[in-house]
Amino acid sequence: MTVQQPTDWNSPEMVARIRKRYRSEKTFRTMGLVALTFAGAFLTFLLYTMISNGLPGFRATEIRLDVAYTEQALGLSAQDVQGPDGMEMLRNADYGLLAGDALAAKLGLSDPDDIMRAERLVSQASGSILRDHLLANPGQFGQTVPVWVPASSDFDMLKKGNIRRDAPEAERRISDEMLGYFEKLEADGDVRTAFNTRFFTGADSRDPELASVWGATVGSLLTLFVTLIISFPIGVLTAVYLEEFAPKNRVTDFIEVNINNLAAVPSIIYGLLGLAVFLGTFGMPRSAPLVGGLTLALMTLPTIVIAGRVAIRAVPPSIRDAARGIGASPLQVVFHHVVPLAMPGILTGTIIGMARALGETAPLLMIGMRAFIVDVPSSLDDPATVLPVQVFLWSDSIERGFVEKTSAAILVLLVFLMMMNGLAIYLRQKFERRW
């Protein structure tokens, strides 16, 4: 019998091996630290770029106009306004010349061509804005009141420093004459930069100064609502059946393999499926949250099924045995004991799947949700778009003002995603039980 000699830890060979192992561990830690530093640097650069480009989109340049809501300017009399159809008369009045008249009075202009050029200082929708202001304050009829209206996109960019004032006239979109008008208004205190409330209260627009994310936000919420009510019950019931009731045979193995494969299918394939089935076969309305939600539900189902099965499988078998021991039926075992204990994991997987659906663009482009929508959707079959598609549309625009709007919309989308992931973490920590 051979007697094993004790290890000589002080031998040169053993000392060299130990030093080599320590060097390997140190090298691995250094590589991990370097990788973490690079990842943090890229993430910081990305967030800095988005925030620095997007924050100006939350502010807007406004010009104060002393608007004369007089009988002569609107072509109405006091009797017309005070009559039973007074509000309707105000709504249908002509507000197209009010902004030009106010600018002419401020800048001392009398030539019609000069007044027409000066009107480019303010948004093309100034007439509608002045009308809405008077409809909200009908008592101001017959008076001259100050009203802040949004400046046009070029002068908004000028105020924010994106257009150089000292550049030669041929190298900027604003002529020296218009620049002089704007600087005169600035000197008189008639220009300000304020929080852009229209960015969160309206729909899309061809004019950057009026573009808003509210329509796309409502479209996203309606689309996710349809996605949730379709994918959640079907996904959870599928997971319950496969884990608790389905027999273990080749058919169920085939189904399980295909569910796992569907989770890895590119999202645009689901867009093609939605285009062929929901639009081509059933003739559902194009560019509607209903169709978008159904398409995203198909994409989200595999994720919910897989997360649900993992959560159900994590419940200890002793819970099932104890429930059966007190006389519970198979359905009672599952729905009174197993599913409630697995619900935190199921909800976490569902929210993560919904967060992925919120950020998807390709499948929604395939079903036509890239249309220019000027109204906020109010139902599931109204034309609508969603935040990722809105970002895509704005990024494709040639207007300089849409650059900051694109980054601002990305920030709004990131906030939504962080809220959904934060909710998933909260539910996991609140309801999770460790066995």
Side-chain angles (χ1 to χ4, degrees):
M1 180 176 179
T2 304
V3 179
Q4 184 177 2
Q5 297 296 324
T7 303
D8 185 4
W9 297 99
N10 295 321
S11 64
E13 295 82 3
M14 187 59 65
V15 171
R17 290 177 61 185
I18 293 175
R19 288 178 177 176
K20 182 178 180 181
R21 185 179 66 183
Y22 285 163
R23 284 197 301 269
S24 300
E25 293 179 356
K26 185 177 180 180
T27 302
F28 180 77
R29 292 178 181 178
T30 303
M31 293 174 62
L33 182 61
V34 171
L36 183 62
T37 302
F38 271 103
F42 282 122
L43 178 61
T44 302
F45 176 75
L46 174 64
L47 293 177
Y48 172 77
T49 303
M50 290 295 100
I51 293 174
S52 60
N53 290 334
L55 284 182
F58 297 121
R59 301 187 63 81
T61 302
E62 297 179 341
I63 296 177
R64 181 173 59 190
L65 302 179
D66 295 327
V67 183
Y69 290 119
T70 60
E71 299 179 4
Q72 180 180 4
L74 297 179
L76 299 175
S77 64
Q79 291 77 13
D80 294 333
V81 176
Q82 295 173 0
D85 299 329
M87 294 301 294
E88 190 65 24
M89 298 286 288
L90 286 178
R91 183 175 290 104
N92 295 327
D94 185 9
Y95 295 84
L97 300 178
L98 293 184
D101 293 342
L103 286 170
K106 280 186 174 293
L107 300 173
L109 305 177
S110 58
D111 184 76
D113 293 335
D114 293 338
I115 297 175
M116 186 177 299
R117 285 192 294 270
E119 288 179 345
R120 300 174 189 170
L121 290 165
V122 296
S123 173
Q124 295 181 3
S126 296
S128 301
I129 295 172
L130 297 178
R131 178 198 61 198
D132 295 340
H133 177 83
L134 183 58
L135 291 176
N137 304 275
Q140 294 181 354
F141 178 75
Q143 304 176 17
T144 299
V145 295
V147 181
W148 290 94
V149 299
S152 63
S153 178
D154 289 340
F155 292 95
D156 182 49
M157 294 293 100
L158 179 71
K159 181 66 175 178
K160 294 175 180 177
N162 294 319
I163 296 179
R164 290 176 48 198
R165 304 191 183 204
D166 57 350
E169 183 178 11
E171 298 179 6
R172 48 180 158 83
R173 293 167 55 95
I174 299 174
S175 65
D176 290 338
E177 179 187 22
M178 298 298 297
L179 180 60
Y181 292 158
F182 186 75
E183 291 180 342
K184 183 178 187 305
L185 293 175
E186 283 184 311
D188 295 338
D190 293 324
V191 178
R192 71 176 184 183
T193 302
F195 182 74
N196 190 3
T197 57
R198 291 183 181 84
F199 188 69
F200 298 97
T201 57
D204 196 9
S205 174
R206 299 292 187 189
D207 301 318
E209 68 273 10
L210 301 177
S212 171
V213 296
W214 179 240
T217 302
V218 174
S220 294
L221 294 176
L222 292 175
T223 302
L224 289 180
F225 172 74
V226 176
T227 303
L228 180 63
I229 64 175
I230 297 297
S231 62
F232 180 72
I234 296 177
V236 173
L237 291 176
T238 302
V240 169
Y241 176 77
L242 291 175
E243 282 297 318
E244 300 294 330
F245 298 104
K248 302 302 179 183
N249 52 36
R250 293 183 178 180
V251 176
T252 55
D253 290 342
F254 177 78
I255 294 175
E256 292 175 3
V257 169
N258 280 277
I259 289 176
N260 293 330
N261 289 336
L262 286 174
V265 170
S267 59
I268 195 171
I269 303 300
Y270 292 100
L272 292 172
L273 180 62
L275 177 64
V277 176
F278 302 128
L279 298 183
T281 303
F282 295 103
M284 291 185 173
R286 192 177 184 89
S287 187
L290 177 61
V291 180
L294 290 172
T295 303
L296 293 180
L298 297 176
M299 185 193 71
T300 310
L301 263 175
T303 303
I304 297 178
V305 172
I306 293 173
R309 294 189 63 191
V310 171
I312 293 172
R313 197 179 301 132
V315 177
S318 58
I319 299 295
R320 299 170 176 84
D321 296 338
R324 295 189 189 99
I326 60 175
S329 67
L331 283 178
Q332 289 175 328
V333 171
V334 172
F335 291 102
H336 292 181
H337 300 278
V338 176
V339 172
L341 294 174
M343 190 54 66
I346 295 174
L347 291 177
T348 301
T350 301
I351 294 174
I352 292 175
M354 297 294 293
R356 179 196 171 192
L358 176 63
E360 284 294 339
T361 304
L364 300 180
L365 292 177
M366 297 302 300
I367 62 171
M369 293 192 74
R370 61 163 296 168
F372 174 69
I373 309 299
V374 296
D375 296 319
V376 178
S378 58
S379 65
L380 296 178
D381 58 351
D382 283 346
T385 187
V386 293
L387 281 171
V389 178
Q390 189 70 80
V391 170
F392 170 77
L393 293 176
W394 285 352
S395 65
D396 200 38
S397 178
I398 61 174
E399 289 287 341
R400 175 65 179 82
F402 278 115
V403 174
E404 62 180 25
K405 293 295 188 297
T406 301
S407 298
I410 291 175
L411 293 179
V412 174
L413 181 59
L414 288 177
V415 170
F416 269 94
L417 292 175
M418 288 189 291
M419 290 174 59
M420 296 183 70
N421 284 279
L423 179 61
I425 295 173
Y426 170 77
L427 292 175
R428 166 69 72 179
Q429 293 180 348
K430 182 175 178 61
F431 298 106
E432 184 178 23
R433 294 188 181 184
R434 300 186 182 276
W435 312 101

